Amino acid sequence: MGVLISSLVQLTCVGFCVAALAQPLEGRRCFSTGETREKIVANDLSEPFRAMQKAAARLQAEALGAKLCRWSDAFVYEISLLRRDGRIIRTYVDAKTGQIIETKNEKKHED
């Protein structure tokens, strides 16, 4: 029971952290879940789940969520990830090609 409560508290904290990181970008419009489904079909976009899996694997993090947004003429998935060190990462994926465009707060690894 204590573990369950602890997990719920952690998830709530993560939710607040993700919301705090959400800053409006100029020239950007994000879509609801229903609108996202329509845009995926109408514009032959990649699936958001696949984009989340790819970003999570590449950045060695756990996917928290994704939303489809329109940046000028491009559709972009904004994906939130949680690293093992507790750091939240925001990555942006071209919804048409599935390629990562940019990652913010990425911790660089030395090989």
Side-chain angles (χ1 to χ4, degrees):
M1 179 82 151
V3 173
L4 177 62
I5 292 172
S6 176
S7 295
L8 289 174
V9 169
Q10 288 175 351
L11 286 174
T12 302
C13 291
V14 168
F16 286 126
C17 291
V18 171
L21 289 174
Q23 300 173 4
L25 299 173
E26 290 184 35
R28 175 186 99 155
R29 178 175 185 267
C30 296
F31 303 102
S32 69
T33 303
E35 291 173 318
T36 296
R37 283 189 215 108
E38 292 172 6
K39 300 289 182 193
I40 289 170
V41 172
N43 296 284
D44 195 32
L45 303 177
S46 63
E47 291 294 324
F49 184 71
R50 179 66 124 194
M52 289 172 59
Q53 285 179 318
K54 182 177 180 180
R58 177 175 177 257
L59 299 170
Q60 298 177 353
E62 182 178 339
L64 298 175
K67 62 183 171 182
L68 178 66
C69 298
R70 178 115 184 163
W71 291 5
S72 300
D73 294 333
F75 286 103
V76 175
Y77 287 119
E78 296 183 8
I79 300 172
S80 299
L81 304 165
L82 177 63
R83 291 184 56 103
R84 290 182 191 136
D85 63 4
R87 194 174 203 178
I88 301 287
I89 299 171
R90 176 95 48 175
T91 190
Y92 305 93
V93 176
D94 183 309
K96 193 78 164 169
T97 66
Q99 297 298 311
I100 293 176
I101 299 169
E102 178 184 0
T103 298
K104 292 186 178 181
N105 299 323
E106 181 176 357
K107 185 176 179 181
K108 303 290 183 192
H109 292 287
E110 305 265 337
D111 290 331

